Amino acid sequence: MPKSAWGLLAALLPGLLLPAWAAEAPARFSIRQGDRYGAIDAGGRVVIEPQYDAELRFADGLAVAAVGSKVGVIDLDGKLVISPQAKVGIGSGEFAQEVSLASLIAGDFAEGLAPFRMGRKLGYLDRSGAVVVPPQFDQVEPFAEGQALVAQAGRWGSIDRGGKWVIEPQFDKPFRFREGLAVVLVSGKGFGYIDRKGQFVIPAQYNYAYNFSGGRARVQLRDGFGYIDRQGKVVVGPSKDYRIAADYSDARAPARAGDQGWGYLDPQGGFAVAPQFFSAREFSEGRAAVAVGDFRNHQWGYIDAAGKPAGAARFQQAEPFSEGRAAVLVPRAGYGYVDTAGELVIGPLEGVTQVEPFQGGLARVWFSQVTGRDGRWGYIDRDGKLLWKVEP
């Protein structure tokens, strides 16, 4: 598309003064009534009446909404931000047509920008529908901290909000920054770590590597997996005494010590929690799910960072904590949620066949499958009160 056309497209809708987009947006939760979708807030109040043909998925305070062939973008209150009447021409000759600009959006809004697709190429538009970065990339990721990962000709790099290269496309796999560094793959050399300017802080040298977490990164060394610090120094090397299988979280990393079972390493490589469990998961919000018993007969519970039990191990399943609640499966009773003391504070929930973590103050729970539908769901608050339930 010529530059003049891009200018015309940018003028379809004027830029909106929306200073609130940069702040954390209030939570919205998709609901369905019959065959129409809307949204509720964290208090269970319907803020967008069910009227759309597809589930609303809000990100950065916006969601793509469709009614038949009309596709637009709405805000948290259901107000149109990009109208279905905002259209752009695609194709040429007998294949030329006008389509809704919003229907070209190919991902979530993040930091006020969303990827969109024209033909086989991707670019970014803003909250008013104006093109900020013309489509020129083969693959793209959402913006994060002012940069977006993009790929051209099979190589990944990153751009700023104006579309200028921050890190030239040179890496074989998409990378994610955590704690200021990102793990990247260089053909013929292996994995290493770069900073946000694309400079190597730790040279590409590992057969495999993971992102940093808690100041440590798990990498594959000659004799097995170990942990390095931000300078690339091996702080916890491979050991015949234990097997490393996860990243650090809350300064603890699960490790298996032969027949003794699973325990937790501290950042220096010593056991902060002695190996004793049949299985162990990563810490979240100061608690970790552990299983006691053996292969045929084991139960899940939680411990704190010192290894002290938080309640009795009595669950068939135990999930990570989120917003002070963790989903558990009570044997022969169903799903519920525990608090950080390990006490069952929600449930067991009757008729619930699947649960999700708490986000924004609510958790989505799924009920028995309904013939001919995608299933039913509802939302509960932190006290277990059912605020919404999709009915057949």
Side-chain angles (χ1 to χ4, degrees):
M1 183 176 288
K3 290 184 178 180
S4 59
W6 286 123
L8 178 62
L9 178 59
L12 281 172
L13 288 174
L16 300 178
L17 294 176
L18 293 171
W21 72 261
E24 186 175 351
R28 292 291 183 263
F29 304 86
S30 180
I31 58 173
R32 190 185 76 212
Q33 195 169 64
D35 293 324
R36 295 291 182 264
Y37 294 84
I40 61 174
D41 62 16
R45 182 176 65 93
V46 176
V47 290
I48 301 174
E49 292 291 338
Q51 58 190 289
Y52 298 106
D53 290 336
E55 185 171 351
L56 299 175
R57 188 177 72 176
F58 280 92
D60 206 30
L62 299 177
V64 174
V67 178
S69 61
K70 296 182 178 180
V71 181
V73 175
I74 60 174
D75 65 15
L76 294 167
D77 298 317
K79 180 182 177 181
L80 275 172
V81 176
I82 300 178
S83 168
Q85 277 68 50
K87 295 185 177 182
V88 62
I90 62 173
S92 60
E94 62 180 309
F95 299 105
Q97 59 178 314
E98 279 195 337
V99 300
S100 168
L101 176 65
S103 69
L104 302 177
I105 293 176
D108 293 334
F109 276 89
E111 299 188 354
L113 302 178
F116 77 105
R117 182 182 297 276
M118 289 285 287
R120 296 185 178 181
K121 297 298 182 180
L122 292 146
Y124 294 88
L125 51 78
D126 67 16
R127 298 169 66 92
S128 72
V131 174
V132 176
V133 182
Q136 57 193 286
F137 307 109
D138 301 319
Q139 298 180 72
V140 300
E141 296 284 342
F143 270 84
E145 298 185 15
Q147 294 185 32
L149 305 179
V150 296
Q152 280 186 338
R155 292 289 186 268
W156 286 85
S158 70
I159 58 171
D160 63 17
R161 292 175 58 87
K164 295 182 179 179
W165 290 107
V166 178
I167 300 174
E168 295 287 336
Q170 57 188 291
F171 301 112
D172 297 330
K173 292 181 67 176
F175 47 93
R176 302 287 186 278
F177 279 95
R178 285 189 63 181
E179 301 185 4
L181 299 179
V183 58
V184 295
L185 173 62
V186 180
S187 295
K189 293 184 179 180
F191 291 85
Y193 294 85
I194 60 172
D195 61 20
R196 290 194 173 276
K197 295 181 179 180
Q199 302 298 313
F200 273 96
V201 175
I202 302 172
Q205 58 187 298
Y206 305 109
N207 290 334
Y208 207 83
Y210 294 85
N211 278 107
F212 272 85
S213 177
R216 299 287 186 264
R218 184 164 42 119
V219 298
Q220 186 176 6
L221 303 168
R222 177 175 297 179
D223 299 321
F225 279 93
Y227 296 98
I228 60 173
D229 63 17
R230 293 174 58 85
Q231 286 72 47
K233 178 183 177 182
V234 176
V235 290
V236 181
S239 172
K240 61 181 178 58
D241 297 325
Y242 53 76
R243 178 170 63 89
I244 292 170
D247 297 329
Y248 275 90
S249 178
D250 290 356
R252 297 288 182 265
R256 180 180 176 87
D259 294 336
Q260 299 177 64
W262 288 84
Y264 290 86
L265 300 175
D266 63 24
Q268 288 71 46
F271 272 102
V273 179
Q276 57 190 288
F277 305 110
F278 170 73
S279 187
R281 295 176 177 165
E282 295 178 57
F283 271 82
S284 59
E285 298 187 2
R287 297 290 184 269
V290 296
V292 297
D294 55 29
F295 180 78
R296 292 187 176 183
N297 184 23
H298 60 270
Q299 293 179 309
W300 288 86
Y302 295 91
I303 60 170
D304 65 16
K308 180 181 177 181
R314 62 191 188 279
F315 304 112
Q316 188 175 337
Q317 293 176 214
E319 301 302 322
F321 272 87
S322 176
E323 300 184 1
R325 297 286 185 267
V328 295
L329 179 57
V330 182
R332 298 176 298 279
Y335 286 98
Y337 291 82
V338 297
D339 61 14
T340 54
E343 297 298 325
L344 193 67
V345 291
I346 299 175
L349 298 164
E350 184 177 356
V352 170
T353 57
Q354 183 180 337
V355 294
E356 297 180 6
F358 273 86
Q359 291 184 329
L362 301 184
R364 176 147 63 170
V365 298
W366 295 80
F367 297 89
S368 302
Q369 185 76 16
V370 178
T371 303
R373 289 192 180 274
D374 297 329
R376 294 182 296 162
W377 73 84
Y379 295 99
I380 59 173
D381 64 16
R382 285 173 48 85
D383 296 322
K385 181 181 177 182
L386 184 65
L387 299 183
W388 179 274
K389 182 178 179 181
V390 172
E391 297 296 347

Short mmCIF file of all heavy atoms in Angstrom, two decimals, residues 248-292:
data_model
loop_
_atom_site.label_atom_id
_atom_site.label_comp_id
_atom_site.label_asym_id
_atom_site.label_seq_id
_atom_site.Cartn_x
_atom_site.Cartn_y
_atom_site.Cartn_z
N TYR A 248 14.24 -21.25 39.64
CA TYR A 248 14.05 -20.68 40.97
C TYR A 248 12.79 -19.83 41.00
O TYR A 248 12.46 -19.14 40.04
CB TYR A 248 15.24 -19.81 41.36
CG TYR A 248 16.39 -20.59 41.97
CD1 TYR A 248 17.40 -21.11 41.16
CD2 TYR A 248 16.45 -20.81 43.34
CE1 TYR A 248 18.45 -21.83 41.71
CE2 TYR A 248 17.50 -21.52 43.90
CZ TYR A 248 18.50 -22.03 43.08
OH TYR A 248 19.52 -22.75 43.63
N SER A 249 12.10 -19.89 42.11
CA SER A 249 10.95 -19.04 42.38
C SER A 249 10.89 -18.85 43.88
O SER A 249 10.97 -19.83 44.64
CB SER A 249 9.66 -19.69 41.88
OG SER A 249 8.55 -18.89 42.18
N ASP A 250 10.79 -17.61 44.32
CA ASP A 250 10.84 -17.31 45.75
C ASP A 250 12.11 -17.87 46.38
O ASP A 250 12.10 -18.38 47.51
CB ASP A 250 9.61 -17.87 46.48
CG ASP A 250 8.34 -17.13 46.13
OD1 ASP A 250 8.41 -16.13 45.40
OD2 ASP A 250 7.25 -17.55 46.56
N ALA A 251 13.23 -17.78 45.63
CA ALA A 251 14.55 -18.23 46.10
C ALA A 251 14.61 -19.72 46.41
O ALA A 251 15.43 -20.16 47.21
CB ALA A 251 15.01 -17.42 47.31
N ARG A 252 13.75 -20.49 45.77
CA ARG A 252 13.75 -21.94 45.95
C ARG A 252 13.60 -22.61 44.59
O ARG A 252 12.86 -22.14 43.73
CB ARG A 252 12.61 -22.39 46.87
CG ARG A 252 12.69 -21.85 48.29
CD ARG A 252 13.81 -22.52 49.07
NE ARG A 252 13.88 -22.06 50.45
CZ ARG A 252 14.67 -21.08 50.88
NH1 ARG A 252 15.44 -20.42 50.01
NH2 ARG A 252 14.68 -20.75 52.15
N ALA A 253 14.30 -23.75 44.41
CA ALA A 253 14.19 -24.51 43.17
C ALA A 253 14.03 -25.98 43.53
O ALA A 253 14.83 -26.54 44.28
CB ALA A 253 15.42 -24.32 42.29
N PRO A 254 12.99 -26.64 43.00
CA PRO A 254 12.80 -28.06 43.29
C PRO A 254 13.90 -28.92 42.66
O PRO A 254 14.32 -28.67 41.53
CB PRO A 254 11.43 -28.38 42.70
CG PRO A 254 11.20 -27.33 41.67
CD PRO A 254 11.92 -26.11 42.14
N ALA A 255 14.38 -29.90 43.39
CA ALA A 255 15.42 -30.81 42.91
C ALA A 255 15.19 -32.20 43.52
O ALA A 255 14.76 -32.31 44.66
CB ALA A 255 16.81 -30.29 43.26
N ARG A 256 15.49 -33.23 42.74
CA ARG A 256 15.32 -34.60 43.22
C ARG A 256 16.65 -35.20 43.62
O ARG A 256 17.62 -35.16 42.85
CB ARG A 256 14.66 -35.46 42.15
CG ARG A 256 14.44 -36.91 42.58
CD ARG A 256 13.78 -37.73 41.48
NE ARG A 256 13.66 -39.12 41.88
CZ ARG A 256 12.65 -39.62 42.56
NH1 ARG A 256 11.65 -38.83 42.90
NH2 ARG A 256 12.62 -40.89 42.90
N ALA A 257 16.72 -35.77 44.82
CA ALA A 257 17.93 -36.41 45.32
C ALA A 257 17.73 -37.93 45.39
O ALA A 257 17.45 -38.50 46.44
CB ALA A 257 18.28 -35.87 46.70
N GLY A 258 17.84 -38.56 44.25
CA GLY A 258 17.75 -40.01 44.17
C GLY A 258 16.52 -40.58 44.85
O GLY A 258 15.40 -40.08 44.71
N ASP A 259 16.73 -41.63 45.65
CA ASP A 259 15.63 -42.30 46.34
C ASP A 259 15.09 -41.50 47.51
O ASP A 259 14.04 -41.85 48.07
CB ASP A 259 16.09 -43.68 46.84
CG ASP A 259 16.41 -44.62 45.69
OD1 ASP A 259 15.88 -44.41 44.59
OD2 ASP A 259 17.20 -45.57 45.90
N GLN A 260 15.79 -40.43 47.89
CA GLN A 260 15.30 -39.60 49.01
C GLN A 260 14.06 -38.79 48.62
O GLN A 260 13.29 -38.41 49.49
CB GLN A 260 16.40 -38.66 49.47
CG GLN A 260 17.66 -39.35 49.99
CD GLN A 260 18.72 -38.34 50.36
OE1 GLN A 260 18.54 -37.53 51.28
NE2 GLN A 260 19.83 -38.34 49.63
N GLY A 261 13.92 -38.53 47.33
CA GLY A 261 12.77 -37.76 46.87
C GLY A 261 13.13 -36.33 46.52
O GLY A 261 14.29 -35.99 46.30
N TRP A 262 12.09 -35.48 46.49
CA TRP A 262 12.25 -34.10 46.08
C TRP A 262 12.39 -33.17 47.28
O TRP A 262 11.76 -33.37 48.30
CB TRP A 262 11.03 -33.64 45.27
CG TRP A 262 10.98 -34.26 43.90
CD1 TRP A 262 10.46 -35.47 43.57
CD2 TRP A 262 11.46 -33.69 42.69
NE1 TRP A 262 10.59 -35.70 42.23
CE2 TRP A 262 11.19 -34.61 41.65
CE3 TRP A 262 12.08 -32.48 42.37
CZ2 TRP A 262 11.54 -34.38 40.33
CZ3 TRP A 262 12.42 -32.23 41.04
CH2 TRP A 262 12.14 -33.17 40.04
N GLY A 263 13.26 -32.18 47.11
CA GLY A 263 13.41 -31.11 48.08
C GLY A 263 13.60 -29.80 47.34
O GLY A 263 13.31 -29.71 46.14
N TYR A 264 14.12 -28.79 48.04
CA TYR A 264 14.28 -27.46 47.42
C TYR A 264 15.67 -26.91 47.70
O TYR A 264 16.12 -26.89 48.86
CB TYR A 264 13.22 -26.50 47.94
CG TYR A 264 11.84 -26.83 47.43
CD1 TYR A 264 11.04 -27.75 48.10
CD2 TYR A 264 11.34 -26.26 46.27
CE1 TYR A 264 9.77 -28.08 47.64
CE2 TYR A 264 10.08 -26.58 45.79
CZ TYR A 264 9.30 -27.48 46.48
OH TYR A 264 8.06 -27.82 46.00
N LEU A 265 16.33 -26.45 46.61
CA LEU A 265 17.64 -25.84 46.73
C LEU A 265 17.51 -24.35 47.04
O LEU A 265 16.57 -23.69 46.61
CB LEU A 265 18.41 -25.98 45.41
CG LEU A 265 18.69 -27.40 44.90
CD1 LEU A 265 19.36 -27.32 43.53
CD2 LEU A 265 19.56 -28.16 45.88
N ASP A 266 18.49 -23.81 47.79
CA ASP A 266 18.59 -22.37 47.97
C ASP A 266 19.46 -21.81 46.83
O ASP A 266 20.00 -22.58 46.02
CB ASP A 266 19.15 -22.03 49.35
CG ASP A 266 20.57 -22.54 49.57
OD1 ASP A 266 21.30 -22.74 48.58
OD2 ASP A 266 20.94 -22.74 50.74
N PRO A 267 19.61 -20.49 46.72
CA PRO A 267 20.36 -19.92 45.59
C PRO A 267 21.83 -20.31 45.55
O PRO A 267 22.49 -20.14 44.51
CB PRO A 267 20.21 -18.41 45.81
CG PRO A 267 18.92 -18.26 46.54
CD PRO A 267 18.88 -19.44 47.47
N GLN A 268 22.37 -20.85 46.65
CA GLN A 268 23.77 -21.27 46.66
C GLN A 268 23.94 -22.76 46.34
O GLN A 268 25.05 -23.26 46.25
CB GLN A 268 24.40 -20.98 48.03
CG GLN A 268 24.65 -19.50 48.30
CD GLN A 268 23.36 -18.73 48.53
OE1 GLN A 268 22.47 -19.16 49.27
NE2 GLN A 268 23.23 -17.57 47.89
N GLY A 269 22.81 -23.46 46.18
CA GLY A 269 22.89 -24.87 45.81
C GLY A 269 22.76 -25.85 46.95
O GLY A 269 22.81 -27.06 46.74
N GLY A 270 22.58 -25.36 48.17
CA GLY A 270 22.34 -26.25 49.30
C GLY A 270 20.84 -26.51 49.43
O GLY A 270 20.02 -25.75 48.94
N PHE A 271 20.50 -27.59 50.13
CA PHE A 271 19.09 -27.90 50.31
C PHE A 271 18.50 -27.05 51.44
O PHE A 271 18.85 -27.22 52.61
CB PHE A 271 18.89 -29.38 50.62
CG PHE A 271 18.75 -30.23 49.39
CD1 PHE A 271 19.81 -30.98 48.93
CD2 PHE A 271 17.56 -30.24 48.68
CE1 PHE A 271 19.68 -31.75 47.78
CE2 PHE A 271 17.42 -31.00 47.53
CZ PHE A 271 18.48 -31.76 47.07
N ALA A 272 17.61 -26.12 51.06
CA ALA A 272 16.89 -25.32 52.05
C ALA A 272 15.76 -26.14 52.65
O ALA A 272 15.37 -25.94 53.80
CB ALA A 272 16.34 -24.05 51.40
N VAL A 273 15.19 -27.03 51.86
CA VAL A 273 14.16 -27.97 52.31
C VAL A 273 14.66 -29.36 51.93
O VAL A 273 14.86 -29.66 50.74
CB VAL A 273 12.80 -27.69 51.66
CG1 VAL A 273 11.76 -28.71 52.15
CG2 VAL A 273 12.34 -26.26 51.97
N ALA A 274 14.89 -30.19 52.91
CA ALA A 274 15.49 -31.50 52.68
C ALA A 274 14.65 -32.35 51.73
O ALA A 274 13.41 -32.28 51.75
CB ALA A 274 15.66 -32.23 54.01
N PRO A 275 15.30 -33.16 50.88
CA PRO A 275 14.56 -34.04 49.97
C PRO A 275 13.77 -35.09 50.75
O PRO A 275 14.33 -35.81 51.55
CB PRO A 275 15.67 -34.69 49.13
CG PRO A 275 16.92 -34.52 49.91
CD PRO A 275 16.76 -33.27 50.70
N GLN A 276 12.46 -35.11 50.51
CA GLN A 276 11.58 -35.98 51.28
C GLN A 276 10.23 -36.23 50.62
O GLN A 276 9.46 -37.08 51.06
CB GLN A 276 11.32 -35.36 52.66
CG GLN A 276 10.71 -33.96 52.57
CD GLN A 276 10.65 -33.23 53.88
OE1 GLN A 276 9.85 -33.56 54.77
NE2 GLN A 276 11.53 -32.23 54.05
N PHE A 277 9.97 -35.52 49.50
CA PHE A 277 8.64 -35.57 48.91
C PHE A 277 8.61 -36.48 47.68
O PHE A 277 9.61 -36.62 46.96
CB PHE A 277 8.18 -34.17 48.53
CG PHE A 277 8.22 -33.20 49.67
CD1 PHE A 277 9.14 -32.17 49.70
CD2 PHE A 277 7.33 -33.32 50.74
CE1 PHE A 277 9.19 -31.27 50.75
CE2 PHE A 277 7.36 -32.43 51.80
CZ PHE A 277 8.30 -31.40 51.81
N PHE A 278 7.45 -37.06 47.44
CA PHE A 278 7.26 -37.87 46.23
C PHE A 278 7.33 -36.99 44.97
O PHE A 278 7.86 -37.40 43.94
CB PHE A 278 5.91 -38.61 46.29
CG PHE A 278 5.54 -39.26 44.99
CD1 PHE A 278 6.19 -40.40 44.56
CD2 PHE A 278 4.55 -38.71 44.18
CE1 PHE A 278 5.86 -41.00 43.34
CE2 PHE A 278 4.21 -39.29 42.96
CZ PHE A 278 4.87 -40.44 42.55
N SER A 279 6.80 -35.77 45.07
CA SER A 279 6.86 -34.82 43.97
C SER A 279 6.81 -33.42 44.54
O SER A 279 6.37 -33.21 45.68
CB SER A 279 5.69 -35.05 43.00
OG SER A 279 5.84 -34.24 41.85
N ALA A 280 7.27 -32.45 43.77
CA ALA A 280 7.32 -31.06 44.25
C ALA A 280 7.21 -30.11 43.08
O ALA A 280 7.78 -30.36 42.01
CB ALA A 280 8.61 -30.80 45.02
N ARG A 281 6.51 -29.00 43.28
CA ARG A 281 6.34 -27.99 42.25
C ARG A 281 6.96 -26.67 42.69
O ARG A 281 7.33 -26.49 43.86
CB ARG A 281 4.85 -27.82 41.94
CG ARG A 281 4.24 -29.07 41.31
CD ARG A 281 2.77 -28.94 41.08
NE ARG A 281 2.23 -30.12 40.41
CZ ARG A 281 0.95 -30.41 40.33
NH1 ARG A 281 0.04 -29.62 40.88
NH2 ARG A 281 0.55 -31.50 39.70
N GLU A 282 7.03 -25.73 41.77
CA GLU A 282 7.66 -24.45 42.05
C GLU A 282 6.84 -23.63 43.04
O GLU A 282 5.62 -23.79 43.15
CB GLU A 282 7.84 -23.66 40.75
CG GLU A 282 8.80 -24.31 39.78
CD GLU A 282 8.92 -23.54 38.49
OE1 GLU A 282 9.28 -22.34 38.55
OE2 GLU A 282 8.66 -24.11 37.42
N PHE A 283 7.51 -22.73 43.75
CA PHE A 283 6.85 -21.86 44.71
C PHE A 283 6.06 -20.76 43.99
O PHE A 283 6.44 -20.31 42.91
CB PHE A 283 7.88 -21.20 45.63
CG PHE A 283 8.19 -22.01 46.85
CD1 PHE A 283 9.11 -23.06 46.80
CD2 PHE A 283 7.56 -21.74 48.06
CE1 PHE A 283 9.40 -23.81 47.93
CE2 PHE A 283 7.84 -22.49 49.19
CZ PHE A 283 8.76 -23.52 49.12
N SER A 284 4.97 -20.34 44.62
CA SER A 284 4.19 -19.20 44.16
C SER A 284 3.55 -18.57 45.39
O SER A 284 2.96 -19.26 46.21
CB SER A 284 3.11 -19.63 43.16
OG SER A 284 2.23 -20.58 43.73
N GLU A 285 3.75 -17.27 45.53
CA GLU A 285 3.20 -16.52 46.67
C GLU A 285 3.61 -17.17 48.00
O GLU A 285 2.83 -17.23 48.94
CB GLU A 285 1.68 -16.41 46.55
CG GLU A 285 1.24 -15.65 45.32
CD GLU A 285 -0.26 -15.38 45.27
OE1 GLU A 285 -0.97 -15.76 46.23
OE2 GLU A 285 -0.71 -14.77 44.29
N GLY A 286 4.85 -17.62 48.08
CA GLY A 286 5.39 -18.15 49.33
C GLY A 286 4.98 -19.56 49.68
O GLY A 286 5.28 -20.04 50.78
N ARG A 287 4.31 -20.25 48.78
CA ARG A 287 3.87 -21.63 49.03
C ARG A 287 4.22 -22.49 47.82
O ARG A 287 4.25 -22.04 46.68
CB ARG A 287 2.36 -21.69 49.27
CG ARG A 287 1.89 -20.92 50.50
CD ARG A 287 2.34 -21.62 51.78
NE ARG A 287 1.82 -20.97 52.97
CZ ARG A 287 2.46 -20.02 53.64
NH1 ARG A 287 3.65 -19.58 53.21
NH2 ARG A 287 1.93 -19.48 54.72
N ALA A 288 4.48 -23.78 48.10
CA ALA A 288 4.73 -24.74 47.03
C ALA A 288 3.90 -25.99 47.27
O ALA A 288 3.73 -26.44 48.41
CB ALA A 288 6.21 -25.12 46.98
N ALA A 289 3.37 -26.53 46.19
CA ALA A 289 2.61 -27.78 46.28
C ALA A 289 3.58 -28.96 46.28
O ALA A 289 4.47 -29.04 45.43
CB ALA A 289 1.64 -27.89 45.11
N VAL A 290 3.40 -29.85 47.25
CA VAL A 290 4.24 -31.05 47.36
C VAL A 290 3.34 -32.26 47.57
O VAL A 290 2.24 -32.16 48.11
CB VAL A 290 5.26 -30.94 48.51
CG1 VAL A 290 6.25 -29.80 48.25
CG2 VAL A 290 4.55 -30.72 49.85
N ALA A 291 3.85 -33.42 47.14
CA ALA A 291 3.11 -34.66 47.32
C ALA A 291 3.88 -35.58 48.26
O ALA A 291 5.10 -35.71 48.16
CB ALA A 291 2.90 -35.36 45.98
N VAL A 292 3.17 -36.20 49.19
CA VAL A 292 3.76 -37.16 50.12
C VAL A 292 3.15 -38.53 49.84
O VAL A 292 1.98 -38.64 49.45
CB VAL A 292 3.52 -36.75 51.59
CG1 VAL A 292 4.20 -35.42 51.87
CG2 VAL A 292 2.03 -36.63 51.89
#
